[in-house]
Amino acid sequence: MTALLCKMPVATRRKPCSALVVAAAVLTFGLVDRQPVQALPGESSSELLRNWRAATHILPRPKAERKYTDGYPDLSSQGSAAGGSLAFSAFLNSDRISESETIDYRPEACERDPYRCSGQVIFQKSGNDLGHLLIAEVFGVEVLEDFIRSDALKTIHEPGGGSSQVSVFYAGNRFNYTTWVHSEPGRTRAISHFTVLGKNDAELRRRIRLAETCSNPAMRSDPLCSAP
């Protein structure tokens, strides 16, 4: 993984890559060169669980969740990495096939004061090395490379008072992707989500239209926009 990061185009890194710097980050934040969990959209729930890399110390094997509404995931897992909490969630269709999978990073400080915290991870194409490390750790190097090469189709700024909430939608060759970042004034990279979607461009367009609709402040309390 260190080699991968050092080969990334300069545009995807904050500063010139140093193997020593990346290695130090790997050791400091508990990330190591291992095989990915191979949990990806298109797999059945049984395949996802069977392929999950039991050796991972970041995220345990996902467990089934009770779905109170369609907005709740079918499978989830909670762990820690990069100085914060890391959660994995998967949404399945009626045939128990994974349609989307998300990792959610929250700095440890956000657990104490969710509105006054900053983090070290951001999931975006131009994001930092730690964000790329976490993507590769959970979904694999091929997904990371597909994401980096993907086209950003739409950026949407969501209403949030004085806070900043930004969603970006990407079209890749193998999968589609969305990212979401929440931060407060004077703070950066507070909470960040990275979602891998099945390669369904119609579904990606539907998600973009929904996000555009819900970015209207008048829609903030509408049930259409208030799902978990």
Side-chain angles (χ1 to χ4, degrees):
M1 193 177 301
T2 298
L4 165 72
L5 289 170
C6 290
K7 292 177 181 177
M8 287 180 182
V10 172
T12 68
R13 292 187 258 117
R14 293 175 301 167
K15 56 186 178 180
C17 181
S18 161
L20 180 60
V21 170
V22 175
V26 168
L27 293 173
T28 300
F29 297 106
L31 302 175
V32 296
D33 281 324
R34 299 168 183 256
Q35 293 300 310
V37 295
Q38 296 180 343
L40 296 170
E43 294 181 345
S44 68
S45 59
S46 58
E47 288 174 325
L48 190 153
L49 295 175
R50 183 173 63 249
N51 292 338
W52 195 271
R53 176 167 39 83
T56 182
H57 60 287
I58 292 179
L59 289 168
R61 192 181 303 275
K63 296 181 179 180
E65 291 285 349
R66 179 178 296 179
K67 287 180 72 74
Y68 295 98
T69 72
D70 289 341
Y72 284 81
D74 295 274
L75 299 170
S76 70
S77 174
Q78 287 78 41
S80 60
S85 65
L86 187 70
F88 169 88
S89 58
F91 290 82
L92 312 177
N93 63 19
S94 58
D95 295 322
R96 305 293 293 173
I97 302 298
S98 174
E99 293 188 326
S100 71
E101 299 175 10
T102 297
I103 49 176
D104 173 328
Y105 172 82
R106 297 169 184 258
E108 184 178 352
C110 292
E111 302 302 320
R112 299 189 299 270
D113 189 349
Y115 299 104
R116 293 291 183 270
C117 59
S118 293
Q120 304 176 79
V121 171
I122 188 169
F123 298 122
Q124 290 187 355
K125 288 174 64 173
S126 59
N128 59 20
D129 291 343
L130 284 175
H132 288 161
L133 276 169
L134 289 175
I135 292 171
E137 175 74 9
V138 176
F139 297 110
V141 170
E142 290 183 0
V143 169
L144 174 61
E145 292 178 340
D146 187 53
F147 172 58
I148 290 173
R149 297 192 191 104
S150 67
D151 296 321
L153 301 184
K154 190 72 176 181
T155 299
I156 297 175
H157 296 265
E158 304 172 28
S163 63
S164 170
Q165 300 179 87
V166 181
S167 297
V168 186
F169 298 82
Y170 306 86
N173 287 325
R174 185 178 178 190
F175 296 104
N176 293 327
Y177 306 92
T178 68
T179 60
W180 181 86
V181 177
H182 171 95
S183 61
E184 296 292 323
R187 310 283 176 168
T188 59
R189 298 189 291 275
I191 299 172
S192 189
H193 298 179
F194 175 78
T195 298
V196 183
L197 303 166
K199 186 58 180 170
N200 182 334
D201 292 340
E203 170 62 14
L204 183 63
R205 290 193 295 270
R206 184 197 70 81
R207 287 173 177 257
I208 291 174
R209 289 195 300 270
L210 178 61
E212 289 175 328
T213 298
C214 295
S215 66
N216 183 340
M219 293 290 293
R220 291 184 65 180
S221 59
D222 190 284
L224 181 68
C225 304
S226 58

